[in-house]
Amino acid sequence: MLNIPNELLDAYAEELAIAECSFEMMGRLLDRDYIKGRIEPLNADRLYIYGGGYLGIQLYRACDRQIKVLSLIDKRGCLILDIPGIPVMSLEGLRKAYQGENIIVASVRYYREIQKDLLPFVPKTQILFIGEFLGGIL
């Protein structure tokens, strides 16, 4: 039998859980009627999405026709894929443009770090984790 360190097994289990969660969310984002029902309780006509990865891009595409998505936000200021027509800005750009809108954080792995970056200028009540948006009480 292989002698695999517990730390390695724990890291693998965490990565697997993140991938499983992200996969489930990607599926929910394909249901436009479901997304419409999740947007309505926000009582907003515009929002930001934080995350330039696959979940952020999919969330943008799911919401785009139902609410004005002002921009995707990414710390690096770019998307994981080069997709023309999707507005993207850096965290510093958001800091300058932010006017009280909701921000949906579309990152499972880095949610806490992103929340920490946003809290100096965004009220905690305006920051939603994508899991809260897709399945929580709004």
Side-chain angles (χ1 to χ4, degrees):
M1 186 167 146
L2 295 174
N3 191 9
I4 301 173
N6 284 339
E7 295 83 18
L8 185 58
L9 291 173
D10 289 344
Y12 175 76
E14 182 179 345
E15 288 296 316
L16 184 61
I18 289 170
E20 182 179 14
C21 183
S22 296
F23 183 76
E24 182 180 327
M25 289 180 193
M26 291 288 273
R28 283 196 176 168
L29 291 171
L30 294 173
D31 185 343
R32 287 199 183 263
D33 290 335
Y34 181 77
I35 297 302
K36 183 178 181 181
R38 301 304 296 167
I39 289 173
E40 288 172 0
L42 294 177
N43 291 324
D45 59 352
R46 55 196 204 150
L47 59 83
Y48 288 99
I49 297 171
Y50 196 118
Y54 298 115
L55 269 176
I57 293 167
Q58 186 67 17
L59 179 58
Y60 177 88
R61 288 183 167 164
C63 293
D64 186 40
R65 293 184 187 152
Q66 301 178 47
I67 190 169
K68 174 71 175 163
V69 179
L70 297 168
S71 184
L72 263 70
I73 311 304
D74 190 85
K75 201 174 223 177
R76 299 167 298 144
C78 62
L79 302 178
I80 197 167
L81 302 171
D82 184 26
I83 303 176
I86 296 181
V88 62
M89 70 171 62
S90 67
L91 178 61
E92 206 44 50
L94 175 65
R95 185 183 308 272
K96 293 173 185 172
Y98 184 73
Q99 296 180 357
E101 299 87 359
N102 286 318
I103 300 174
I104 301 175
V105 178
S107 174
V108 176
R109 178 174 284 121
Y110 300 110
Y111 173 73
R112 297 237 185 269
E113 180 182 322
I114 292 168
Q115 184 184 45
K116 185 178 173 184
D117 289 343
L118 292 172
L119 283 174
F121 65 97
V122 178
K124 190 173 185 173
T125 57
Q126 299 303 110
I127 304 170
L128 290 168
F129 171 57
I130 189 171
E132 292 173 298
F133 172 69
L134 291 174
I137 298 171
L138 298 175

